[in-house]
Amino acid sequence: MRRLHPEDLLLLLGARPRADVGAWLRDGLRDAVASGRLEAGVALPSSRAAAAGLGVSRGTVAAAVDELVGEGVLESRPRSSVVVADLARRPRGAAPGPARAGAEAPGERPASVGAPDPALFPRAAWARAVRDATRELPDAELGYPDPQGLLELRLALAAHLRTARAAPVEARDVVIVSGVAQGLALLGEVLAERSAGRRIAVEDPASPGVVTQLRDAGLEVVPVPVDDRGIRTDALPDAAAAVVTPAHQFPLGVVLAPERRRELVAWARDGGRLLLEDDYDAELRYDRQPVGALRGLDPDHVVLLGSVSKLLSPSLRLGWVVAPAGARDALVDAKRRADLGCSVPEQAAFARLIADGAYARHLRRARLAYKGRRGLLLDALARDAPQLVVEGVAAGLHLVVRLPDDDAEARAVAALRDVGVPAEALSGMSVRPGSRGVVVGAARVQGSAVARVVEILAAAGGVEATSQEK
Amino acid sequence: MRRLHPEDLLLLLGARPRADVGAWLRDGLRDAVASGRLEAGVALPSSRAAAAGLGVSRGTVAAAVDELVGEGVLESRPRSSVVVADLARRPRGAAPGPARAGAEAPGERPASVGAPDPALFPRAAWARAVRDATRELPDAELGYPDPQGLLELRLALAAHLRTARAAPVEARDVVIVSGVAQGLALLGEVLAERSAGRRIAVEDPASPGVVTQLRDAGLEVVPVPVDDRGIRTDALPDAAAAVVTPAHQFPLGVVLAPERRRELVAWARDGGRLLLEDDYDAELRYDRQPVGALRGLDPDHVVLLGSVSKLLSPSLRLGWVVAPAGARDALVDAKRRADLGCSVPEQAAFARLIADGAYARHLRRARLAYKGRRGLLLDALARDAPQLVVEGVAAGLHLVVRLPDDDAEARAVAALRDVGVPAEALSGMSVRPGSRGVVVGAARVQGSAVARVVEILAAAGGVEATSQEK
């Protein structure tokens, strides 16, 4: 760790003004970090040394530092070290050390258990697509956007989804949104405006983010249990709609059984209800073609939601809602009210990526990579912790391991996060008190991280990892 | 290259109607392309073969094809081949003909009166910034975004706004949103959650978009008249907040007088109210430095909203809310509920554009260009229609001309739109019945369009344009 010499600090800040020394110090440091002259990880001199070097009081130094720590520009570390936070001009993805393979640097926002490996994001292809789209967009597209979405993207997505999700989709059915979270928020508004009521069924367990989104939209969430054939259609309540993950239940990983698909659709059709099909990772099936979208069974009662979050990157905030004719206008209105529409250059870039085949190539590559990682992790678990049962089909970016009790659950979550692997308590994803287990974000688990994850899961499950390789 | 057989064409279009065969052909082809049934690159039969196969005249085929080529649905290739256009690779913005300078192609979404000239959008700089940002973003930023916004952008914007808007802004005060529309929608939610009530004061006249946004957020809009010194502070109602445009009233173009600024801030402070300062075009002042942001007077009661919509392009959907500490957490929560956050690569690109000076250079260039155009238009109006009075200070992208009655207003709006110049009725921007006039989107009015606009305004105002140049 480089520690800045007090004289370098003076060099960096320039001549000390007569008045407002605190602002000079604070703004100078902030600018130095923002401009990259002070790099992430560099330690500041002690406040005593800095004060002496700059000819100011220790209190002035401490106040400026406190403020910058509050802004996230500096970071307090143990043993009173203050370092430049890892932010603005950080060099591209400093590789995590071998002890933290598949992990994130400390102090960052924790990754979601469903987040893809950023190392697989096709940076070059996306960078080229967005550059070319920006250069070549017709002038007429540089005004306020069409709130429904750029026609070019709706055409490309419709063609892609027809093939990839075996569902009838036309460009006019598609509404471009800033991710599934926004799609659900807008649909929540649409449902709340309908007379049908504000009750909405959700699978239990489910993504806490989805449940929060629906509740924030003013809907009453009614949990429906999930078993090894998917949502229990015999337990469907009277509600205006249901959010379902038929292709790959989140988090349990089961696929909705064929007769349950039919029963679910009948429930929607008979009651004039909507099924919100959260198709979050259906294109990441590793053992066979994914089951077709539910929308194929009844385009009038199924709303298909998807996004690039699992397939490209959640940082892009691009998603789609394929809506029945009866809900489409209200949805477009809600999108207009929310933000007038999505970024046109980004929409055009995504349309290009689909149209020129780069998206399909990326999906093939990502599937292969994740399939390989999942295989190695499951093999290691089967070999070294055979008592543990991993649930769900060969798909997606996460896996679920049941654990005996609260204590085991808490230990597993903490230990996994400690080594930088995203993890959530299964009980925390249950609306009603549910079983205990851990949902592991496996997208980045590879190399030496595999053995660590196996060891942690085995320990939490009350078994010793039996590997001789360790 | 696949060439469509004339019989397939009939299959695609369905039975020929008795009347309006041209529309059947044109709409059927457009739908077939839009739905993906006709793929990019497929060649149509020759017009002779198509006419024979469909039993229509060659002229009918040619007219339909021409129209679709104009729309970009089809493409003419050398040797009289017409192929289905690759909508993802449409050639960049066919320049409008000289007769429609400053105008839009027919059939497109009409531009807003406040939209900038897309020809001034710094495509190359933006394309480079977004490409480089995408390439160099740290892996850790490719997960779900910080709902408050990318720290890099908040730092860069804070520094820019401190200088450009003479207001105290720190990175921690800034929330990145998808434009001012979203900012207002989110603030509407925040206000609705407060006990202070749901009444919000707006200037009258005001942007109809803003009024709609506030009403859609469930707020009761209370209009306050505007005179030549800005909003009438003696008429401020009891309300939880007010939306104001102090730097350049929209649409009337006046600047809020100094004592009114103080009275407005006192109203907010004394009542624990919020002022939402819509700073939509303050950086486009042509005769002097813009007045500083109201936020400078009272950072605890003023929320400063801005966006790139007038300064770069409304197609980008990027804006900011500089919020007092008391409203910030609720605002970030509302943003998280709405869509989890803004696109990270676009935020990083904008941060780069600011940090490397390209944004400041663009603003200087844009100011110069708009100042020149505004000057020529005002000169022409003064010379050829001296009876007309143009209101407001030298700023922004629109101008307002008062007209005697409804009829003159309607004629001016229709005639301007007819030649492709964005125009709105002033009465349509009034919450209470207000005066008549036309708000002209002047950003693209130059060259031969100047004389046309003068002629239309003079005619509507009941005066003859006196130019000898015509």
Side-chain angles (χ1 to χ4, degrees):
Chain A
M1 183 172 68
R2 183 162 84 93
R3 184 178 288 278
L4 205 65
H5 192 274
E7 278 175 22
D8 290 342
L9 193 58
L10 194 56
L11 212 67
L12 204 66
L13 297 171
R16 186 163 75 88
R18 242 173 294 203
D20 213 356
V21 177
W24 163 71
L25 181 53
R26 181 197 60 208
D27 296 349
L29 279 173
R30 191 197 292 113
D31 286 350
V33 174
S35 68
R37 279 170 297 148
L38 256 188
E39 284 161 16
V42 172
L44 297 192
S46 71
S47 61
R48 182 191 305 271
L54 297 171
V56 302
S57 75
R58 277 186 72 181
T60 301
V61 173
V65 165
D66 270 357
E67 204 169 330
L68 294 173
V69 168
E71 285 179 26
V73 172
L74 301 178
E75 237 176 74
S76 265
R77 290 275 174 83
R79 269 165 301 159
S80 64
S81 204
V82 173
V83 304
V84 174
D86 201 12
L87 46 94
R89 299 273 162 189
R90 229 170 347 180
R92 168 170 166 182
R100 297 181 56 82
E104 293 185 275
E108 290 166 359
R109 286 185 307 287
S112 137
V113 292
D117 182 357
L120 295 182
F121 177 58
R123 279 175 193 271
W126 183 260
R128 202 167 40 241
V130 71
R131 181 199 62 187
D132 293 349
T134 301
R135 282 187 184 159
E136 295 172 24
L137 268 173
D139 273 4
E141 297 292 2
L142 290 177
Y144 284 90
D146 179 347
Q148 184 173 359
L150 190 67
L151 179 59
E152 213 170 313
L153 175 56
R154 291 189 282 121
L155 284 166
L157 252 180
H160 174 76
L161 293 173
R162 278 199 297 274
T163 311
R165 303 300 299 118
V169 182
E170 302 292 345
R172 66 172 171 274
D173 305 325
V174 179
V175 182
I176 304 297
V177 293
S178 308
V180 167
Q182 184 180 54
L184 287 173
L186 299 179
L187 286 164
E189 281 184 44
V190 170
L191 287 169
E193 283 162 13
R194 292 183 165 205
S195 55
R198 290 167 165 262
R199 285 160 60 91
I200 189 161
V202 297
E203 298 167 338
D204 190 12
S207 155
V210 167
V211 172
T212 305
Q213 209 78 32
L214 297 171
R215 284 186 173 146
D216 284 338
L219 298 169
E220 182 195 341
V221 168
V222 186
V224 181
V226 172
D227 63 22
D228 59 356
R229 317 181 66 207
I231 187 170
R232 288 258 313 276
T233 40
D234 59 334
L236 284 165
D238 187 26
V243 180
V244 290
T245 51
H248 188 224
Q249 205 275 333
F250 189 87
L252 296 183
V254 298
V255 175
L256 188 62
E259 77 283 4
R260 295 245 176 120
R261 287 166 67 94
R262 288 191 295 272
E263 285 160 13
L264 195 57
V265 166
W267 173 81
R269 188 182 297 151
D270 296 347
R273 303 172 170 110
L274 283 180
L275 294 173
L276 314 189
E277 178 176 20
D278 181 359
D279 208 41
Y280 67 106
D281 72 351
E283 295 194 45
L284 295 175
R285 180 82 191 245
Y286 310 130
D287 53 346
R288 41 156 287 180
Q289 287 290 310
V291 295
L294 210 57
R295 181 177 161 84
L297 293 186
D298 188 343
D300 291 335
H301 293 92
V302 179
V303 183
L304 177 68
L305 295 107
S307 82
V308 303
S309 293
K310 315 292 181 227
L311 306 175
L312 286 170
S313 164
S315 69
L316 295 176
R317 312 314 305 133
L318 263 181
W320 49 89
V321 182
V322 184
R328 199 179 306 141
D329 289 354
L331 183 66
V332 173
D333 268 358
K335 174 66 177 166
R336 182 187 290 112
R337 281 199 301 268
D339 56 20
L340 305 186
C342 286
S343 160
V344 176
E346 287 213 330
Q347 291 186 75
F350 186 35
R352 256 164 200 270
L353 214 65
I354 299 174
D356 70 12
Y359 186 55
R361 282 194 299 278
H362 164 68
L363 289 178
R364 276 197 297 276
R365 217 165 25 231
R367 260 194 299 266
L368 262 180
Y370 291 131
K371 179 184 181 174
R373 292 178 197 180
R374 187 182 165 90
L376 289 174
L377 180 55
L378 290 189
D379 287 352
L381 280 168
R383 189 182 62 226
D384 299 338
Q387 301 86 338
L388 293 178
V389 177
V390 179
E391 309 207 358
V393 298
L397 302 171
H398 71 280
L399 47 86
V400 175
V401 176
R402 302 264 183 181
L403 292 172
D405 52 37
D406 282 346
D407 188 50
E409 191 181 77
R411 270 187 292 126
V413 169
L416 287 167
R417 288 184 180 170
D418 237 32
V419 297
V421 173
E424 296 286 347
L426 182 58
S427 64
M429 298 197 171
S430 304
V431 186
R432 288 186 180 130
S435 41
R436 302 294 176 272
V438 60
V439 185
V440 184
R444 297 168 75 181
V445 175
Q446 53 178 332
S448 64
V450 173
R452 271 167 187 276
V453 168
V454 172
E455 191 181 357
I456 288 167
L457 291 174
V463 293
E464 287 291 310
T466 59
S467 170
Q468 288 92 29
E469 298 173 59
K470 287 189 43 247
Chain B
M1 183 173 67
R2 183 162 84 93
R3 184 178 288 276
L4 205 64
H5 193 274
E7 278 174 23
D8 290 343
L9 194 57
L10 194 55
L11 210 67
L12 206 65
L13 297 171
R16 184 164 77 87
R18 242 172 294 201
D20 213 357
V21 177
W24 162 72
L25 182 53
R26 182 196 61 207
D27 297 348
L29 279 173
R30 192 195 293 113
D31 283 352
V33 173
S35 67
R37 279 169 295 150
L38 257 187
E39 284 161 17
V42 172
L44 296 192
S46 72
S47 61
R48 181 191 306 271
L54 297 173
V56 303
S57 76
R58 278 186 72 181
T60 301
V61 172
V65 165
D66 269 357
E67 204 168 332
L68 293 172
V69 167
E71 285 179 24
V73 172
L74 301 178
E75 236 176 72
S76 265
R77 292 274 175 83
R79 269 165 302 160
S80 67
S81 206
V82 172
V83 303
V84 175
D86 191 345
L87 291 178
R89 300 194 163 278
R90 237 174 338 181
R92 168 175 167 179
R100 297 181 57 82
E104 293 185 275
E108 287 166 3
R109 287 185 305 287
S112 137
V113 292
D117 183 357
L120 294 181
F121 177 59
R123 280 177 192 270
W126 183 260
R128 202 167 40 242
V130 72
R131 182 198 61 185
D132 293 349
T134 301
R135 281 186 185 163
E136 295 171 24
L137 266 174
D139 272 3
E141 296 292 3
L142 290 177
Y144 285 88
D146 179 347
Q148 185 174 358
L150 190 69
L151 181 58
E152 207 171 321
L153 176 56
R154 290 188 283 120
L155 284 164
L157 252 181
H160 174 77
L161 293 172
R162 278 196 299 271
T163 310
R165 303 300 300 118
V169 182
E170 301 293 343
R172 64 171 172 277
D173 305 325
V174 179
V175 182
I176 304 297
V177 293
S178 308
V180 168
Q182 184 180 53
L184 288 173
L186 299 179
L187 286 164
E189 281 184 44
V190 171
L191 288 169
E193 283 163 13
R194 293 183 163 205
S195 57
R198 292 168 163 264
R199 283 161 61 91
I200 189 160
V202 297
E203 298 167 338
D204 190 11
S207 155
V210 167
V211 172
T212 305
Q213 209 77 33
L214 297 171
R215 286 185 171 147
D216 284 338
L219 298 168
E220 183 196 341
V221 168
V222 187
V224 181
V226 172
D227 64 21
D228 60 356
R229 317 181 66 208
I231 188 170
R232 288 259 310 278
T233 41
D234 60 334
L236 284 165
D238 187 27
V243 181
V244 290
T245 51
H248 188 224
Q249 205 276 333
F250 189 87
L252 296 181
V254 298
V255 175
L256 188 63
E259 77 283 3
R260 294 242 178 124
R261 287 166 67 92
R262 288 191 296 272
E263 286 160 13
L264 194 58
V265 166
W267 173 81
R269 189 182 296 152
D270 296 347
R273 303 174 171 108
L274 283 180
L275 294 173
L276 314 189
E277 179 176 19
D278 181 358
D279 207 41
Y280 67 106
D281 74 350
E283 295 194 45
L284 296 176
R285 181 82 191 244
Y286 310 131
D287 53 347
R288 42 156 287 181
Q289 287 290 312
V291 295
L294 209 57
R295 179 176 164 86
L297 292 185
D298 188 344
D300 291 334
H301 294 91
V302 179
V303 183
L304 177 67
L305 295 106
S307 82
V308 302
S309 293
K310 315 292 182 224
L311 306 174
L312 285 171
S313 165
S315 69
L316 294 176
R317 313 313 305 132
L318 263 179
W320 50 88
V321 182
V322 185
R328 199 179 307 141
D329 290 353
L331 183 65
V332 173
D333 268 358
K335 174 66 177 166
R336 183 188 289 114
R337 280 200 302 269
D339 57 19
L340 305 185
C342 286
S343 161
V344 175
E346 287 213 329
Q347 291 185 77
F350 186 34
R352 256 165 201 270
L353 213 65
I354 298 173
D356 71 11
Y359 185 56
R361 283 194 298 278
H362 163 69
L363 290 178
R364 277 196 297 275
R365 216 166 25 231
R367 260 192 301 266
L368 264 179
Y370 292 131
K371 180 184 181 173
R373 292 178 198 179
R374 186 181 165 91
L376 289 174
L377 180 55
L378 291 189
D379 287 352
L381 280 167
R383 189 183 61 228
D384 299 338
Q387 302 86 335
L388 292 177
V389 178
V390 179
E391 309 208 357
V393 299
L397 302 171
H398 70 279
L399 46 86
V400 175
V401 176
R402 302 262 184 183
L403 292 172
D405 52 36
D406 283 344
D407 187 50
E409 190 181 76
R411 269 188 293 126
V413 170
L416 287 167
R417 288 183 180 171
D418 238 29
V419 298
V421 173
E424 298 284 347
L426 182 58
S427 64
M429 298 197 174
S430 304
V431 186
R432 288 187 180 129
S435 40
R436 302 295 177 272
V438 61
V439 185
V440 184
R444 298 168 74 180
V445 174
Q446 54 179 332
S448 64
V450 173
R452 270 165 189 274
V453 168
V454 171
E455 191 181 358
I456 288 166
L457 291 174
V463 293
E464 286 291 310
T466 59
S467 169
Q468 290 92 30
E469 298 174 57
K470 286 185 46 244

